Amino acid sequence: MQSPRTPEDDSTWSDSETVTTASALELAAAIRSSRLTSRRAVQEHIATLRRRTDLGAVAEDRFEQALVEADDADRAVAAASATDSLPPLLGVPFTVKESIPVADMPYTGGLASRRGIRSSADAVAVARLRAAGAIVIAVTNTAELCLGIESYNAVYGRTGNPYDRSRVAGGSSGGEGSAVGAGGAPFGVGADTGGSIRIPAFFCGVFGHKPTPGLVPSTEQLPSLTEYSDTDTDPMETIGPLARRAEDLMPLLRIMADEELPDPTSVAFDGRPVIIPEQSTYLRPISADLVAARDRAAQVLADAGGEVRHVQLPALRRAAQFYLLELRRHAGHPVGELFNLFAESPYEGRRPAWVRAHSPQLKLAIIGDRIAGVVPDVAQRRIAAAADALATEINEAIGDGVLLHPPFPRVAPRHNGTLARPWLFGGAAVFNLLGLPVTQVPLGLDRRGLPLGTQIVGAPGNDHVTIAAAQEVERRLGGWVPPPA
């Protein structure tokens, strides 16, 4: 006869705030040891999302189904013996960007023409997390067609920042950033083709990781660069985690990638380059607060043995230009045609795509893409050559180390504050163009209570190095700061 698991002291979990600030790993360990029930973990996060409906983070919930699954998880724990192996994330709640398929949930990408369309199956990354025992509690809002720094569309409306509703949560995984940043989920799943994990993670004060391209299957997201192209995968397209604690990033990445990736704790920073780009932003310099925050993170890595080097990288100023032309090539279609391909309203086909788009951001993206399409071939070749030179320069500078650069020149702007300013996302999108892994790290709050942060960029395959740096910075500087209730 098997010995049942015996509950351990659960006094640590008597406070609901503890449940909604803990890491996914802490929650999973408490559930497996019967110190915390999955039902309570799920209920507390649902309560937070219900309390913060003002943020517009949730596109559609599955709260009732999640509670049923939580009860199933608790029964599995109760039935298991002390020697039984349970799934690593058993009973832990999470959220998913609406443009990534979750079975029986909406799958519109924020397009009004796709209203009512639901996914018939989970995306591979979502299926792997659910097989690991995690429970989806909601799908979250995104920018229309996932194109924009602000998460707004005609299907679900606008998402606000948990630290200040008058400010953006970022895009296109803005619902994820807002839900995780508000304490409504210990982690979430986002997609990043041009900063769409890192910018929301930055604005909402949490961790986000853009994996090395190809590590996590990503072709099921909407829109996918590979959907209508001749390639099986695209180096600019990724799916990855957002989390309120850095310790969750590598375990989540391993599950989503289904690979045994190197352990961040094996990383030593002795002698590793820590690169600080100079003269790297276009038109608007990085704010003094963000420069100071980045430098504090660099000092943490220097104290751990890293060698801080300031490198002139003025070509980064043209990052948005490089990225937009390359995005058009990778997609195989202009943005307006992508809109038509994914939309489900053929009767509107005679109207220009930019007229049928609802959000100002998507309208401007379609118009801007048409303008980019008339750039002479000779100019495109020169821009491509400059982008290649930048890639070589950055790869040589990073080596086996890291590069620190904010994903945006300012803290979260007010709603509509990014319209007609496509260059602002260049500091994030350039690393999609270069195919590099990046971990977004929160660095406390500014004097207005808005999150600060920086990207930690590594060489391809060095996801464990950027995550190790994030963990060291969190250990020294504190990481995510829960927003006011």
Side-chain angles (χ1 to χ4, degrees), residues 28 61 73 81 140 162 261 314 338 349 401 406-407 433 472 474:
D61 70 70
S81 74
T140 56
L261 302 171
L338 282 178
L433 177 67
E472 181 66 15
E474 180 188 37

Side-chain angles (χ1 to χ4, degrees), residues 37 93 105 140 162 214 218 230 249 296 317 453 475 485:
T37 64
M105 296 298 285
T140 56
S218 61
D230 297 329
L249 294 176
R296 287 195 297 273
R317 295 178 181 180
R475 185 181 69 82

Side-chain angles (χ1 to χ4, degrees), residues 47-58 63 158 165:
T48 298
L49 292 176
R50 282 178 166 155
R51 187 173 66 252
R52 297 308 311 269
T53 55
D54 59 313
L55 296 176
V58 172
F63 294 161
R158 189 188 310 277
R165 282 184 303 162

Side-chain angles (χ1 to χ4, degrees), residues 48-105:
T48 298
L49 292 176
R50 282 178 166 155
R51 187 173 66 252
R52 297 308 311 269
T53 55
D54 59 313
L55 296 176
V58 172
E60 184 170 308
D61 70 70
R62 57 186 309 277
F63 294 161
E64 295 307 315
Q65 303 98 308
L67 288 169
V68 170
E69 292 166 16
D71 289 339
D72 290 341
D74 289 331
R75 282 191 286 270
V77 171
S81 74
T83 58
D84 284 345
S85 177
L86 292 170
L89 294 177
L90 183 63
V92 177
F94 74 110
T95 50
V96 181
K97 183 179 183 180
E98 193 262 18
S99 60
I100 298 171
V102 175
D104 302 320
M105 296 298 285

Side-chain angles (χ1 to χ4, degrees), residues 119-453:
S119 177
S120 60
D122 290 333
V124 171
V126 174
R128 288 172 176 171
L129 289 165
R130 294 178 87 167
I135 297 171
V136 180
I137 57 175
V139 293
T140 56
N141 200 21
T142 179
E144 186 176 19
L145 195 60
C146 298
L147 290 172
I149 299 172
E150 177 155 359
S151 290
Y152 165 79
N153 59 70
V155 183
Y156 306 115
R158 189 188 310 277
T159 297
N161 190 298
Y163 295 84
D164 182 345
R165 282 184 303 162
S166 71
R167 296 178 183 271
V168 304
S172 61
S173 307
E176 280 304 301
S178 187
V180 176
F187 74 93
V189 180
D192 192 318
T193 305
S196 290
I197 287 173
R198 290 158 290 145
I199 291 175
F202 167 46
F203 287 165
C204 297
V206 297
F207 294 88
H209 185 72
K210 183 191 89 66
T212 294
L215 196 56
V216 178
S218 61
T219 58
E220 300 144 305
Q221 64 178 295
L222 186 125
S224 170
L225 295 181
T226 59
E227 181 78 17
Y228 293 98
S229 69
D230 297 329
T231 59
D232 294 328
T233 60
D234 191 278
M236 293 171 64
E237 184 173 81
T238 58
I239 283 177
L242 295 87
R244 60 192 180 209
R245 303 297 180 193
E247 71 171 352
D248 289 335
L249 294 176
M250 182 52 77
L252 293 171
L253 187 58
R254 285 172 175 157
I255 291 169
M256 295 166 75
D258 194 26
E259 288 189 29
E260 189 54 44
L261 302 171
D263 190 342
T265 62
S266 68
V267 176
F269 286 96
D270 293 340
R272 286 186 189 265
V274 178
I275 304 302
I276 305 296
E278 299 287 356
Q279 299 182 352
S280 59
T281 56
Y282 181 64
L283 292 185
R284 294 188 71 179
I286 300 170
S287 74
D289 282 348
L290 285 177
V291 168
R294 178 204 64 191
D295 290 348
R296 287 195 297 273
Q299 185 60 53
V300 167
L301 299 180
D303 292 345
E307 295 183 0
V308 176
R309 304 174 188 170
H310 291 258
V311 178
Q312 300 291 317
L313 290 172
L316 272 177
R317 295 178 181 180
R318 301 177 65 192
Q321 183 183 30
F322 298 156
Y323 172 82
L324 291 171
L325 285 174
E326 192 68 4
L327 177 66
R328 182 185 177 93
R329 186 181 71 81
H330 281 238
H333 296 272
V335 173
E337 288 185 18
L338 282 178
F339 179 90
N340 292 333
L341 288 166
F342 284 101
E344 297 287 331
S345 299
Y347 64 89
E348 290 187 333
R350 293 183 180 179
R351 299 171 65 199
W354 69 269
V355 172
R356 289 181 285 127
H358 289 83
S359 74
Q361 293 181 113
L362 183 55
K363 291 178 188 291
L364 289 168
I366 292 170
I367 294 169
D369 186 65
R370 292 185 66 181
I371 294 171
V374 300
V375 174
D377 288 344
V378 63
Q380 291 194 36
R381 286 194 295 271
R382 288 173 180 168
I383 292 170
D388 290 342
L390 174 62
T392 299
E393 193 173 7
I394 288 180
N395 286 328
E396 289 178 351
I398 293 176
D400 67 347
V402 294
L403 178 149
L404 273 56
H405 194 278
F408 205 78
R410 295 288 187 275
V411 295
R414 297 190 183 278
H415 292 298
N416 298 317
T418 63
L419 290 178
R421 297 176 178 178
W423 59 85
L424 292 175
F425 77 107
V430 66
F431 301 115
N432 295 86
L433 177 67
L434 302 178
L436 304 179
V438 188
T439 305
Q440 174 61 41
V441 180
L443 296 171
L445 308 179
D446 71 4
R447 61 189 180 280
R448 293 168 293 179
L450 298 173
L452 301 165

Side-chain angles (χ1 to χ4, degrees), residues 22-39:
S23 71
L25 292 187
E26 290 171 331
L27 292 172
I31 291 167
R32 284 196 304 273
S33 63
S34 300
R35 290 175 291 146
L36 174 70
T37 64
S38 173
R39 169 168 273 270

